């Protein structure tokens, strides 16, 4: 076993060169280079974390804006609805007023027509009375030979007409 | 026929040889020959540096290479986070170095560059090497423990709720299990790496000897052995990763003890 057989001869060389080369490994690579490699990793992790945070922030901002937009939209819709209701009410009021005016006109016309009819009826009635009175005078004169004056005949006719 | 009977010595792969005539290099009276072991350490460091340097482009959207390096640092980071917590962060440099150094060493030792006439050397199959790594890890545990908790670090040996009468024996057992940690750490890696390599070499000698002995043994021994070698090579790649992971994981668990006591 050379490890033991050559121990006395080479132990100092083995230890010396191991210390030299492991020392180089530790100080040059372990202390010099490894921290830089790990620094790069850390930097990248930080960058990723920052990017993620920024993305999250942007998303939150977008959500906020959407919410604001929604609120605004709802307000607008409500305002529009109110305007429509107002317009409807106004239109209804106008229509009502127009209808009322038309009704009034119609009523007036109706009244006037009724009055005219009444007047016509009245004049027709007096005419009938006149004719009836004359006829009565005539009938009385012819049948009884008497003479009935106009007033008496008229009152008689009136009586008969109202009784009829 | 005798010349073809290449004897496979399963231990030769662990032989340390000085290179470039450096056998007599000395530092303060100690031999510091630049051996094949040191050469493979150097190769490990160069490849590891290349690997990590390729992941330093610092791009926001990583390429494959950068992704690979980042997944390794992330893996060590997660392991320390899970085992030590927030304080584990400052050990990433050390645990990463440890894990990658052992992982690359283990994997490089498995490279089939023998077919090119080169000899791969797995320096993690030497307990001088794994021992030093274990001692470094253990020292960190001791330093951190006494630095953070001072003398209270010794309460590590008395778990919560120990009856008064049991304090002494339990503390003794805990102390021993604590002191054994560097040895188990070092031996586990060394034994696992050595055993796998020895097994592969023994099987390869079965293949060679079986083929040389004729058609019958070729079919009965050489071919099954070769199939087994392929399967065990795959297993060894797994073991290379697992042992590096276990070393790093246990070190982080021990550091957790030092950071938080129990």
């Amino acid at each position: 076993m050379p490890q033991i057989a050559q121990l006395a001869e080479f132990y100092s060389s083995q230890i010396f060169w191991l210390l030299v080369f492991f020392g180089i490994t530790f100080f040059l690579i372990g202390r010099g280079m490894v921290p830089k490699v790990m620094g790069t990793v850390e930097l990248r992790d930080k960058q990723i974390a920052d990017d993620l945070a920024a993305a999250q922030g942007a998303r939150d901002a977008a959500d906020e804006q959407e919410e604001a937009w929604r609120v605004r939209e709802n307000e607008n819709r409500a305002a529009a609805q109110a305007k429509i209701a107002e317009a409807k009410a106004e239109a209804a009021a106008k229509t009502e007023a127009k209808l009322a005016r038309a009704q009034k006109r119609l009523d007036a016309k109706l009244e006037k027509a009724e009055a005219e009819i009444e007047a016509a009826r009245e004049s027709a009635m007096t005419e009938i009375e006149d004719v009836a009175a004359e006829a009565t005078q005539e009938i009385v004169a012819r049948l009884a030979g008497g003479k009935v004056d106009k007033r008496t005949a008229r009152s008689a006719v009136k009586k008969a007409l109202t009784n009829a | 026929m005798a010349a073809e009977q290449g004897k496979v010595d399963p231990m030769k792969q662990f032989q340390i040889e000085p290179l470039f005539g450096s056998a007599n290099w000395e530092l303060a009276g100690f031999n510091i020959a630049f051996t094949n072991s040191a050469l493979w350490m150097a190769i490990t460091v160069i490849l590891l540096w290349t690997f990590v340097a390729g992941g330093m482009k610092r791009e926001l959207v990583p390429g494959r290479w950068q992704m690979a390096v980042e997944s390794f640092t992330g893996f060590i980071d997660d392991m320390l986070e899970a085992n030590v917590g927030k304080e584990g962060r400052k050990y990433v440099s050390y645990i990463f170095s440890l894990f990658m150094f052992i992982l690359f060493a283990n994997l490089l030792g498995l490279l089939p560059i023998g077919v090119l006439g080169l000899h791969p050397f797995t320096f993690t199959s030497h307990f001088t090497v794994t021992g030093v790594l274990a001692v470094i890890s253990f020292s960190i545990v001791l330093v951190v423990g006494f630095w953070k908790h001072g003398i209270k670090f010794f309460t590590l040996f008395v778990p919560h709720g120990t009856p008064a009468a049991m304090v002494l024996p339990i503390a003794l057992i805990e102390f021993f299990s604590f002191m054994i940690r560097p040895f188990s750490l070092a031996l586990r890696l060394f034994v696992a790496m050595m055993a796998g390599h020895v097994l592969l070499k023994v099987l390869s000698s079965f293949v060679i000897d079986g083929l040389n002995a004729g058609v019958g043994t070729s079919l009965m021994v050489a071919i099954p052995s070769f199939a087994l070698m392929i399967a065990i090579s795959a297993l060894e790649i797994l073991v290379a990763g697992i042992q590096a992971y276990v070393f790093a994981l246990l070190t982080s668990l021990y550091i957790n003890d030092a950071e938080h006591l129990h």
Side-chain angles (χ1 to χ4, degrees):
Chain A
M1 199 162 147
Q3 285 95 329
I4 294 170
Q6 295 185 307
L7 186 59
E9 194 180 349
F10 286 116
Y11 79 95
S12 53
S13 150
Q14 287 278 70
I15 293 171
F16 174 76
W17 289 113
L18 177 67
L19 289 178
V20 167
F21 287 118
F22 188 67
I24 293 172
T25 305
F26 177 63
F27 286 107
L28 193 75
I29 298 171
R31 297 290 292 268
M33 296 159 94
V34 169
K36 281 178 194 157
V37 173
M38 288 178 69
T40 309
V41 176
E42 215 156 274
L43 213 71
R44 180 181 317 127
D45 287 352
K46 196 177 159 306
Q47 176 125 26
I48 290 170
D50 286 354
D51 285 358
L52 279 177
Q56 182 67 42
R59 199 179 139 166
D60 287 350
D63 280 353
E64 217 165 90
Q65 277 186 8
E66 196 193 337
E67 190 56 43
W69 171 82
R70 206 182 295 280
V71 167
R72 220 167 46 237
E73 194 65 15
N74 282 347
E75 273 168 13
N76 286 348
R77 189 167 299 143
Q81 218 88 38
K83 227 170 225 173
I84 289 169
E86 203 179 302
K88 252 186 197 162
E90 204 175 312
K94 250 183 204 161
T95 314
E96 214 163 283
K98 231 179 216 169
L99 273 176
R101 269 206 305 281
Q103 190 68 46
K104 221 179 239 169
R105 250 192 347 259
L106 283 177
D107 282 354
K109 241 183 203 166
L110 209 60
E111 221 160 278
K112 201 170 149 203
E114 261 170 14
E116 264 166 24
I117 288 167
E118 186 65 25
R121 208 168 61 94
E122 223 138 89
S123 77
M125 199 55 115
T126 39
E127 226 149 277
I128 285 169
E129 269 175 27
D130 281 351
V131 171
E134 263 169 39
T136 307
Q137 274 175 307
E138 201 88 5
I139 289 164
V140 169
R142 288 240 186 115
L143 287 180
K147 219 182 172 184
V148 181
D149 67 3
K150 214 174 186 173
R151 201 178 297 145
T152 321
R154 189 171 282 248
S155 65
V157 167
K158 227 172 216 171
K159 209 180 270 172
L161 274 176
T162 44
N163 284 347
Chain B
M1 249 348 231
E4 284 177 11
Q5 241 168 0
K7 222 31 188 151
V8 175
D9 177 6
M11 287 302 168
K12 189 172 179 302
Q13 57 179 325
F14 304 118
Q15 201 98 43
I16 297 174
E17 287 154 12
L19 300 172
F20 322 122
S22 64
N24 295 317
W25 287 6
E26 279 193 6
L27 184 76
F30 291 102
N31 179 291
I32 54 159
F34 192 83
T35 60
N36 51 349
S37 172
L39 175 68
W40 283 92
M41 290 178 200
I43 293 170
T44 301
V45 170
I46 291 165
L47 285 180
L48 183 53
W49 183 86
T50 311
F51 175 67
V52 179
M56 295 244 301
K57 275 176 259 155
R58 321 203 64 175
E59 279 166 12
L60 188 62
V61 179
R64 285 180 201 183
W65 195 312
Q66 191 181 340
M67 200 73 208
V69 176
E70 282 174 3
S71 62
F72 271 111
T73 59
F75 166 67
I76 300 294
D77 192 29
D78 288 348
M79 185 171 80
L80 280 166
E81 176 96 40
N83 291 319
V84 187
K86 282 255 171 287
E87 302 89 338
R89 259 283 159 103
K90 54 180 174 284
Y91 302 104
V92 169
S93 295
Y94 173 67
I95 301 290
F96 180 83
S97 307
L98 192 64
F99 175 73
M100 296 304 275
F101 191 68
I102 295 172
L103 180 69
F104 271 56
N106 292 352
L107 290 175
L108 285 175
L110 286 169
L111 284 183
I113 58 174
V115 295
L116 303 173
L118 301 168
H119 293 285
F121 184 89
T122 318
F123 59 83
T124 42
S125 65
H126 276 252
F127 58 76
T128 40
V129 170
T130 61
V132 170
L133 292 176
V135 165
I136 294 172
S137 288
F138 192 66
S139 309
I140 289 174
V141 170
L142 287 181
V143 168
V144 169
F146 282 113
W147 187 277
K148 265 200 94 152
H149 303 289
I151 202 74
K152 269 176 72 186
F153 184 52
F154 285 109
T155 58
L156 181 65
F157 303 130
V158 186
H160 284 302
T162 312
M166 295 298 289
V167 164
L168 198 64
I170 290 228
L172 232 90
I173 292 168
E174 288 278 334
F175 178 71
F176 273 108
S177 83
F178 183 76
M179 292 311 287
I180 280 169
R181 282 174 181 184
F183 296 97
S184 64
L185 209 52
L187 286 175
R188 186 181 298 111
L189 177 58
F190 145 66
V191 166
M193 294 326 292
M194 193 182 119
H197 284 263
V198 168
L199 185 56
L200 283 175
K201 274 290 182 320
V202 168
L203 285 172
S204 74
S205 78
F206 287 175
V207 175
I208 293 167
D209 292 347
L211 285 175
N212 284 342
V215 179
T217 44
S218 290
L219 287 174
M220 295 290 290
V221 178
I223 291 171
S225 294
F226 190 64
L228 196 59
M229 271 184 80
I230 294 171
I232 287 178
S233 293
L235 185 70
E236 280 304 305
I237 293 170
L238 184 69
V239 168
I242 286 175
Q243 287 302 328
Y245 174 64
V246 166
F247 204 108
L249 177 69
L250 285 175
T251 300
S252 64
L253 285 176
Y254 297 160
I255 287 174
N256 178 46
D257 276 352
E259 281 278 348
H260 300 125
L261 296 179
H262 273 297

